[in-house]
Structures are given as C-alpha cells and as structure tokens.
Amino acid sequence: LKPSWLLLRTLRQAAVESAPHSRAMSLKLQKRLAADIKKCGRNRIWLDPNEANEISMANSRFNVRKLIKDGLIIRKAVKMHSRARCRKNLEAKRKGRHMGVGKRRGTREARMPTKVLWMRRQRVLRRLLRKYRQQKKIDKHLYHYFYRHAKGNAYKNKRVLIESIHKMKAERTKAKALQEQQEARKERAKLLKARKAAKREEVRAEK
C-alpha cells in the first residue's frame, strides 16, 4: 500500500494531466518588438487579448508595425503622478496651516538655524551698501563705517540701515554747512578788521 501523501500526489498529477491545456500562448517576442518600435518599456505595451491568435502570428517588425497601425497593439499612456494635493498642502503651509507645535519635529535651531538668518541679513545689508557705493550715494569712508557696524549687529534690517545712512548724511551736510558759515563769518570779521585798521591808519596820517 502506498502512503496517503503519495497517493494524494499521484491523484493530483493525474488530474492535471487529464485537464485540457488552457495555457495562454506566449507573446513575449511581439511585446519586445512592439516596445522597441514604440521606444518605450515592455510594461507600457498593451496587446489585445481578443486577438491573441493574430498577434502570435506576427514574428517580424513589419508585421508588428501593421498590428500597431490596426490598433491591436497600443502604447499605454504614462501613469500620472499628480502633485495637485501636494501643491494645495504647500500653499496652506505658506499661510501657516499645519505648522503648529504638534507638527514640529526638530528644535527651533534645527528648523531654521540662527547662523543662516545671520548670513541672510549680512548679505542683504552688504548688498545694499555695495549698491549705494556704486551709485555714489556714499563714499568709501561711509561704506567702511556702515560695513563694520553691520557686522557688529547694529542694524536689524535694511530699513534701519537706510535710515541710519540718511541720518548720517544729513548730519554731515549740516556739519559742512555750519563749517562753511563759520569760515564765512571769520572771513567777514577779518575783512572788517582790515578795513578798520586801514581807516585808523588814514586818521593817523591826516593828523
């Protein structure tokens, strides 16, 4: 007597052998040729399952091209990976949504390092100073003064720096005007003194 497991295996084999062959015919060649003709991957090639017999007969590129023309073989469209939801979410995040305490993973320093903020601020201020120097709005001495102060954390943003520049220029203009007035006053006093001295000399000469 055969063991039960061996008997079961024999019966299974007999059932498989007696069943009619319903295996689908291989269309690997046709798929490969179609992929090469259509310049895409094999997974994007669709073969009409109702016309499998006709497709299996095509064993050359010429025949495959004919089937493509007839519409039995089609190149499928590229699967779409939509970013619509992602864009919508990013737009909401720009407004500040989904950015609360519960959504934050790293520390404040890790999320936006203070060094990066410092570098950005310095670049903005230095760019402005360079532009002003090129446009002759400030001379090299003023440029150097504001450059050093910017590095010393004196200006928290561009607006404050611009205000400081205007203030400094106004002070310099005022000081220059005052100096000119003073010099003019001195010159007038000198002329007056010389005139008085000349008059005095004339009076003495008359005596």
Side-chain angles (χ1 to χ4, degrees), residues 129-138 140 143:
L129 288 172
R130 273 201 306 276
K131 192 173 89 173
Y132 272 28
R133 187 178 60 180
Q134 281 168 0
Q135 292 172 351
K136 301 282 190 294
K137 287 185 178 179
I138 54 173
K140 64 179 183 180
Y143 172 84

Side-chain angles (χ1 to χ4, degrees), residues 44 74-80:
R44 278 186 65 195
I74 297 169
R75 180 175 67 179
K76 288 190 279 190
V78 178
K79 285 194 178 80
M80 194 173 161

